[in-house]
Amino acid sequence: MALSAKLELRQGQQLVMTPQLQQAIRLLQLSNLELTEFVDSELERNPLLERDDTAHTKPVEDEPVERADESASDERWLDLREPVNDHTGGLDVDFGNVFQEPGTGEPGSAPGAASGMSWANVAQRTHNGGDGDSDLEDFIANQVSLRDHLSSQLPLTVSDPVERMIGQYLIDLVDEAGYIPSDLEALAQRLGAPLELVESVLAKLQTFDPPGIFARSLAECLALQLKDQNRYDPLMAELLANLDLLASRNIPALKRAIGIDMDELADMIREIKRLNPKPGLKFGSVQLQPVVPDVIVRAASDGGWHVELNSDTLPRVLVNRTYYARIAKSAANERDKGYIFDCLQTANWLVKSLDQRARTILKVAEQIVRQQDSFFMYGVQYLRPLNLKVIADAISMHESTVSRVTSNKYIATPRGIFELKYFFTSAIASAADGEAHSSEAVRHRIRQLIDAESAADVLSDDQLVERLRGEGIEIARRTVAKYREAMRIPSSVQRRRDKKLVERLGDFA
């Protein structure tokens, strides 16, 4: 077979993902905190970028979203707002309430203003003896952690150096709720100390404040608190030994185990209820990061909705072209010129990408509000089934783009703060030929039916199915059971037992 060379023309399509396009796609799915970190790193790396802290920006918003399927323009962008001339510095005071030192100037002037000395300097000289820089953190009380609180009690109770070492080791093992591991034998082997010595040190530590600390189980934690109140007796010990019966609300078996009547058992249960099952949480508890919404929805005067971006979550950066022009002229070689040009391109790309990201989030949020208008008006029971394709088709974008935009993004509404993905729910068919129901709305209806139960009329899963079908919701029993378990609602047998217990014990829940 002869080999020969020939020219051949082919036509095809290929998607090329440039590094900048990949970065732009990645920016879409970043949360506001992750985006801030990314922008900060770019500001450190790129000398042509600078943060725009001087402009007071108005939240990015669109025209009111009408309840009908009327379109609203989304071409508006960041409007500049003039700085407010606020002589009070944003404080919730007026000039009439500001203290005026005798001999100083106008009302509202700081103490010592006539002599050129501010109150901060006076406070600093008083605090530091005349020199040093002022630090406001010096005047803020630190929150005492559980470990520090326990460590401060150790030298007051334990004098032996070996026991102090064991005690400090046990303090380091205490979790935030105040518990330690239950296997003391393994701890003793790890320390190379006799088990009896470790148990002796633990008994001393269990007298520390707060009562119930250093417990190895819930029963021991409650017992330590009862001992501190001088209320621990054989009957209480028997009740704590049968906490599993109390947790399952098996009152008849609990009465037989302890051997007391119902009135006395009710008093003991109320006393147990007043104890703290996690005594360590009141010391240095972990502060959760509050959710900062990316989008804000508020009612408009015409009956629609205003959708706007939260300007606090929008990093604003500028390209310093003046600095670029100056250093571009002083570039000594082609390598320096190439580096400066790359920095300019990267800076321009980042500004453009942040702008496009904000526009895309706003466009998706606006369409979600339009699709779920009934939810904002009447509540979760009117939440409609919604998927990514509906939003993607409405705004002419790909489903993957909508998925990235709704990841880790939150929207503040008159009904609370929700993740954007909350509004995407599956559909449950209607018993008739009507409109399908949202799975989240069905969950809400199941909870409503269960909350309205009485002890004499507890609904089983089959009865819930019948009720829902009577309301036009076609649903299977296993789906009802799945939704009920996802909401951590016990079975009908357990609920009936709980409600009867509430009736018998009065205010005990």
Side-chain angles (χ1 to χ4, degrees):
M1 182 172 124
L3 298 177
S4 61
K6 62 179 180 178
L7 292 175
E8 197 172 293
L9 182 63
R10 293 182 180 178
Q11 185 177 7
Q13 290 183 341
Q14 184 179 5
L15 177 63
V16 179
M17 296 283 287
T18 64
Q20 289 188 342
L21 179 58
Q22 294 176 8
Q23 283 279 32
I25 293 175
R26 190 171 71 88
L27 283 182
L28 282 177
Q29 60 190 11
L30 294 181
S31 66
N32 48 42
L33 294 178
E34 294 169 338
L35 180 66
T36 301
E37 292 179 1
F38 174 79
V39 171
D40 289 343
S41 64
E42 288 295 315
L43 287 169
E44 294 178 0
R45 190 183 65 84
N46 195 329
L48 299 182
L49 278 174
E50 61 182 26
R51 193 183 303 277
D52 182 14
D53 292 329
T54 59
H56 295 258
T57 59
K58 181 181 179 180
V60 182
E61 64 179 36
D62 262 344
E63 298 296 332
V65 178
E66 302 296 337
R67 292 203 180 87
D69 289 336
E70 299 177 7
S71 61
S73 171
D74 59 320
E75 297 302 322
R76 295 178 59 192
W77 188 226
L78 297 175
D79 297 328
L80 295 180
R81 178 187 298 173
E82 291 299 326
V84 179
N85 188 14
D86 186 2
H87 296 287
T88 63
L91 299 177
D92 188 18
V93 296
D94 56 39
F95 287 118
N97 292 331
V98 179
F99 176 75
Q100 180 182 359
E101 280 281 299
T104 59
E106 296 295 328
S109 60
S115 60
M117 182 183 296
S118 68
W119 69 270
N121 292 332
V122 175
Q124 179 58 36
R125 293 191 178 187
T126 304
H127 183 68
N128 290 340
D131 11 287
D133 296 329
S134 177
D135 189 355
L136 291 179
E137 293 182 359
D138 294 338
F139 303 96
I140 300 176
N142 293 326
Q143 188 178 18
V144 179
S145 66
L146 176 62
R147 181 175 299 177
D148 293 339
H149 182 68
L150 297 176
S151 297
S152 64
Q153 301 175 66
L154 182 63
L156 304 177
T157 308
V158 181
S159 57
D160 183 74
V162 176
E163 292 185 353
R164 280 192 185 181
M165 183 194 69
I166 297 174
Q168 189 60 53
Y169 183 79
L170 294 176
I171 288 174
D172 293 337
L173 292 180
V174 173
D175 62 19
E176 63 177 7
Y179 290 81
I180 64 170
S182 58
D183 191 357
L184 286 186
E185 188 173 352
L187 295 178
Q189 291 179 356
R190 199 177 309 162
L191 287 170
L195 177 61
E196 295 78 10
L197 180 59
V198 176
E199 291 176 341
S200 174
V201 174
L202 177 61
K204 295 179 181 179
L205 298 181
Q206 288 179 340
T207 63
F208 283 11
D209 178 76
I213 207 73
F214 290 102
R216 289 160 288 179
S217 64
L218 175 60
E220 186 177 22
C221 178
L222 300 178
L224 291 172
Q225 296 180 56
L226 290 170
K227 290 177 181 178
D228 182 72
Q229 300 173 10
N230 198 23
R231 285 292 296 119
Y232 189 74
D233 53 32
L235 290 179
M236 277 293 187
E238 194 65 32
L239 175 59
L240 296 179
N242 293 276
L243 279 181
D244 55 334
L245 297 178
L246 179 60
S248 62
R249 303 295 198 268
N250 195 345
I251 300 303
L254 189 60
K255 285 172 56 181
R256 290 193 300 270
I258 303 177
I260 56 177
D261 58 23
M262 190 62 203
D263 292 337
E264 191 173 359
L265 177 59
D267 291 337
M268 294 173 64
I269 292 176
R270 293 189 185 97
E271 192 166 358
I272 290 292
K273 183 185 175 185
R274 288 193 290 267
L275 302 178
N276 186 358
K278 297 180 179 180
L281 290 183
K282 61 182 180 180
F283 290 93
S285 57
V286 178
Q287 299 295 325
L288 299 179
Q289 177 69 31
V291 173
V292 179
D294 301 85
V295 184
I296 300 173
V297 176
R298 53 187 175 86
S301 57
D302 60 354
W305 302 100
H306 275 294
V307 183
E308 58 189 24
L309 289 179
N310 185 1
S311 59
D312 292 339
T313 65
L314 295 176
R316 291 182 55 84
V317 293
L318 299 175
V319 181
N320 194 334
R321 299 186 181 276
T322 304
Y323 182 61
Y324 167 74
R326 188 172 63 203
I327 62 176
K329 294 179 181 178
S330 60
N333 50 52
E334 292 298 325
R335 179 181 177 183
D336 293 343
K337 290 181 180 179
Y339 170 74
I340 297 171
F341 182 72
D342 289 342
C343 288
L344 179 63
Q345 283 190 317
T346 303
N348 288 331
W349 163 83
L350 180 60
V351 173
K352 182 179 178 181
S353 297
L354 291 176
D355 179 272
Q356 185 62 39
R357 176 184 182 273
R359 290 178 181 271
T360 306
I361 293 175
L362 183 62
K363 190 180 295 185
V364 171
E366 181 191 14
Q367 191 58 226
I368 290 175
V369 172
R370 181 176 288 111
Q371 294 287 340
Q372 298 291 3
D373 173 74
S374 297
F375 165 82
F376 296 102
M377 286 295 297
Y378 307 111
V380 66
Q381 62 268 31
Y382 291 93
L383 196 65
R384 295 176 52 192
L386 185 65
N387 55 41
L388 297 174
K389 188 176 187 305
V390 174
I391 301 296
D393 292 343
I395 61 177
S396 302
M397 288 186 177
H398 196 270
E399 292 180 41
S400 61
T401 302
V402 178
S403 177
R404 292 185 179 95
V405 169
T406 54
S407 296
N408 303 314
K409 310 294 188 308
Y410 292 86
I411 181 171
T413 74
R415 297 193 174 274
I417 298 179
F418 301 90
E419 189 177 9
L420 287 180
K421 285 191 177 296
Y422 171 82
F423 299 97
F424 296 91
T425 62
S426 57
I428 295 179
S430 174
D433 294 332
E435 187 178 356
H437 303 272
S438 165
S439 58
E440 188 65 29
V442 174
R443 288 191 188 95
H444 179 74
R445 183 54 183 156
I446 291 174
R447 180 175 288 279
Q448 282 184 327
L449 292 173
I450 291 176
D451 290 342
E453 292 175 338
S454 64
D457 185 24
V458 175
L459 300 174
S460 65
D461 291 344
D462 290 326
Q463 290 173 319
L464 288 172
V465 170
E466 294 176 4
R467 293 280 186 93
L468 293 173
R469 285 179 179 172
E471 298 177 4
I473 302 173
E474 185 66 34
I475 191 170
R477 190 198 64 82
R478 62 179 179 274
T479 305
V480 170
K482 181 181 71 173
Y483 287 171
R484 176 180 53 77
E485 292 170 358
M487 293 185 291
R488 297 183 179 180
I489 298 176
S491 64
S492 58
V493 176
Q494 185 65 50
R495 297 200 307 274
R496 183 178 293 107
R497 184 179 298 169
D498 293 347
K499 292 178 184 297
K500 288 182 178 179
L501 179 63
V502 171
E503 290 181 352
R504 299 175 71 177
L505 297 184
D507 61 343
F508 173 70

